[in-house]
């Protein structure tokens, strides 16, 4: 679990071997190709799931996830 400026997030490292389909990274809006190690993150706070369900889980490039906090800070 990681603490960020917008709350606590559960973060999982995904190895390329278990990544079998492309995901769109919300950080850069580019596809994460199958076989690419990356990060899956979702909010710990269950209220964040309202209306969205488990699809709230987001797949990020590792670098985009790490740059996320800087991007959002005003
Ligand atoms: Zn990205």
């Amino acid at each position: 679990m990681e603490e960020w400026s917008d709350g606590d997030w559960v973060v999982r490292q995904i190895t390329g071997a278990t990544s079998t389909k492309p995901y769109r990274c919300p950080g850069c809006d580019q596809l994460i190709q199958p076989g690419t190690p990356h990060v899956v993150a979702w909010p710990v706070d269950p209220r964040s799931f309202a209306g969205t369900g488990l699809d709230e889980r987001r797949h990020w490039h590792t670098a985009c996830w790490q740059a996320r906090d800087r991007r959002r800070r005003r």
Side-chain angles (χ1 to χ4, degrees):
M1 201 171 88
E2 297 184 2
E3 291 184 16
W4 290 84
S5 56
D6 59 347
D8 293 340
W9 291 74
V10 180
V11 180
R12 294 265 186 275
Q13 305 288 336
I14 303 296
T15 66
T18 56
S19 176
T20 56
K21 64 178 187 174
Y23 298 97
R24 186 167 297 278
C25 170
C28 63
D29 204 33
Q30 302 293 311
L31 288 180
I32 302 169
Q33 296 298 333
T36 305
H38 64 278
V39 168
V40 180
W42 63 95
V44 172
D45 187 344
R47 289 171 299 180
S48 299
F49 286 101
T52 58
L54 289 175
D55 288 341
E56 186 68 12
R57 283 193 288 184
R58 293 285 182 257
H59 295 253
W60 296 72
H61 293 110
T62 303
C64 293
W65 174 254
Q66 291 170 347
R68 172 176 168 279
D69 199 43
R70 190 164 61 237
R71 185 189 311 273
R72 291 199 172 187
R73 192 167 289 153
R74 296 166 196 269

